[in-house]
Amino acid sequence: MKSAVETLNPTRVRLSIEVPFEELKDSLDAAYKKINQQVTVKGFRKGKIPARVIDQRFGRGAVLEEAVNDALPKFYTQAVNEAELNVLGQPEVDITELKDNETLNFTAEVDVRPEIEIPDYSGIEVEVDAIEVTDEDIDKSVEQLRERFASTSPVERAAAEGDVVTIDLEAKVDGEILEDGVASDVSYTIGSGELLEGIDEAVTGLEAGGEATFTSQLKGGSAEGKDAEVTVKVSQVAARELPELDDDFAQLASEFDTLEELKADSRKRLANMKEYDQATQAQERVLEKLLELVEVPVPEKLLEDEVNTRKHNLEHHQLGQMGLNLEQYLQIQGKTVEEFDAETSEQAVKGIKTQFVLDELVNKEKLNVSQEELTEHLMRRAASSGMSPDQFAQAVVEGGQVPMLVGEVARGKALAVVVEAATVKDTNGEVVDLSDDEDEAAEAGETVDGPRVRVHEYEGRGVPEAAKIGGATRGPRPEQKT
């Protein structure tokens, strides 16, 4: 086999491949064997039909087509390996010449990772928010805790904001009661915004036994998106009572004996959370600066696929769980379709560039991923997915996603290297130390005891899956045009 590579642009190449016919022998034998198992010819046992009979009865062309389809991936992969190409996605294959008993010539156009030169990034400087915990922050935190320990008691008066009402609901569309539009004994806190739009105004001012009718667009169910006439009947009004902010409350709601100790702990927790947020902000801003320093061409087909994937995930997963369609989402966001498309494309470009640059940094800095680091990352991903570590690990292995997780950890380490080399100052002009500390951990929503937080791993948020970008497409059958 002979092959040559033509560079079409920085992200796409054309392979021209010549295959001597004798190198198709194994694929021809396999083709005859496969056809043998699929057809019957009178006078011959199944699987024992001679090749010449198959050629006569079904045509040599059918055999050649099967053999070529079997051989293309093998010769394409061989050519890719010989040229040491880092291909992206599936190739477009065009058979340019096929002469029986002579030769097979074909071309394969495919996207490749662009060559990227990482400049000196030690001069990157960014500014982040200073860590400041105010008395107002502490009061808000304690108040949220207080809300969790609120009690309710029935009252004989009109319902007001903050009250908890027990209600029955009945929804009609075009005068017909919906099968899934009836609910009884629903507990609802007025002003929480957790039910239908318009319900707060409808129940405010009603006493037990009162009812009201209002119109609201349904966010889910059989009549999702339609306007419904909703009748709400209040069966009970209950006032929420908050506990007194004193030492007794501190003992009830925490392990502390006094309210002052509880507030001191809240201050420490808030400071740790703000430190984590500061580290996240530093990563994001350092990454932006790094991307500005590097010229990264983006493959058109890869960008198109990534944009389509993002739109699909938004429409069919995220919005579906919220009971919204894309049109409703855009109305809420105040965006046009054109603005949404432009924003999605911009995010996709940034995601692709981010992965390319960080992967190149992994190679440049010779970063490796240990089993311990991979396990820690898997545990975090499992927690965020709502699955147990064992379930998540099984799903990852069965889905062939282990390389994707390894890539995420490696890119996290690459970004941490850049962040540690950068100069990070807060808005007060103070230098922020974000050096990695193996003895500390800073997970989202968790706290740490030390004075600094660890630069958390870059999780690949907003970046295309590793299987799509840089996942070796060496082996799957290429698409072909004949």
Side-chain angles (χ1 to χ4, degrees), residues 86-333:
N86 199 337
V87 298
L88 303 169
Q90 295 284 3
E92 291 184 3
V93 175
D94 185 12
I95 297 176
T96 56
E97 185 178 23
L98 175 59
K99 290 184 178 180
D100 195 3
N101 291 313
E102 290 188 28
T103 187
L104 164 66
N105 296 334
F106 68 95
T107 62
E109 287 191 18
V110 65
D111 287 334
V112 293
R113 276 181 178 260
E115 294 184 3
I116 300 173
E117 185 174 343
I118 304 296
D120 180 16
Y121 48 78
S122 60
I124 291 178
E125 296 185 8
V126 298
E127 184 180 72
V128 295
D129 294 336
I131 296 174
E132 181 181 2
V133 180
T134 66
D135 291 342
E136 183 180 350
D137 292 332
I138 297 172
D139 291 342
K140 183 178 179 180
S141 175
V142 173
E143 189 63 26
Q144 290 174 342
L145 182 62
R146 188 184 179 203
E147 291 276 351
R148 290 169 51 187
F149 285 86
S151 60
T152 59
S153 57
V155 293
E156 295 183 1
R157 60 166 173 78
E161 183 172 354
D163 287 343
V164 179
V165 290
T166 303
I167 54 177
D168 298 334
L169 294 166
E170 180 182 87
K172 294 180 181 179
V173 173
D174 298 329
E176 297 291 330
I177 299 175
L178 300 173
E179 290 185 8
D180 56 354
V182 178
S184 301
D185 295 327
V186 176
S187 180
Y188 176 67
T189 301
I190 301 176
S192 65
E194 295 174 351
L195 280 180
L196 298 169
E197 184 177 348
I199 194 170
D200 289 334
E201 294 81 359
V203 297
T204 298
L206 295 182
E207 298 183 14
E211 66 177 64
T213 301
F214 63 100
T215 300
S216 182
Q217 187 180 78
L218 300 179
K219 302 300 183 183
S222 60
E224 178 182 352
K226 294 184 178 180
D227 287 338
E229 183 182 83
V230 182
T231 299
V232 56
K233 183 175 182 179
V234 177
S235 59
Q236 179 180 278
V237 178
R240 298 177 75 249
E241 298 178 357
L242 298 174
E244 292 292 331
L245 283 178
D246 52 24
D247 292 346
D248 289 338
F249 168 70
Q251 295 168 21
L252 171 68
S254 70
E255 70 272 28
F256 301 106
D257 293 327
T258 67
L259 183 61
E260 287 306 311
E261 289 175 332
L262 174 60
K263 288 185 175 182
D265 181 71
S266 294
R267 183 181 293 276
K268 179 180 178 181
R269 289 177 180 273
L270 288 171
N272 286 329
M273 291 175 65
K274 286 178 180 287
E275 285 179 340
Y276 179 85
D277 291 341
Q278 187 187 63
T280 301
Q281 189 179 62
Q283 283 185 310
E284 293 171 348
R285 295 185 177 179
V286 168
L287 177 59
E288 289 176 0
K289 290 283 189 179
L290 177 63
L291 294 181
E292 291 174 3
L293 296 176
V294 187
E295 185 68 29
V296 185
V298 176
E300 292 183 10
K301 183 64 167 62
L302 185 64
L303 176 58
E304 178 185 345
D305 290 344
E306 178 60 18
V307 168
N308 290 336
T309 297
R310 286 169 181 263
K311 288 182 178 179
H312 178 84
N313 289 341
L314 176 66
E315 290 188 65
H316 299 281
H317 298 291
Q318 296 164 289
L319 296 183
Q321 294 175 355
M322 298 164 61
L324 297 174
N325 57 34
L326 182 58
E327 182 180 355
Q328 294 167 333
Y329 170 75
L330 293 180
Q331 288 178 348
I332 294 172
Q333 295 292 316

Side-chain angles (χ1 to χ4, degrees), residues 72-94:
L72 281 179
K74 177 179 67 175
F75 292 117
Y76 165 73
T77 299
Q78 184 178 338
V80 166
N81 290 336
E82 287 177 356
E84 298 182 343
L85 299 176
N86 199 337
V87 298
L88 303 169
Q90 295 284 3
E92 291 184 3
V93 175
D94 185 12

Side-chain angles (χ1 to χ4, degrees), residues 50-65:
R52 59 179 176 78
V53 174
I54 291 178
D55 289 345
Q56 293 169 355
R57 295 292 297 271
F58 305 101
R60 174 73 166 176
V63 179
L64 288 175
E65 181 179 356

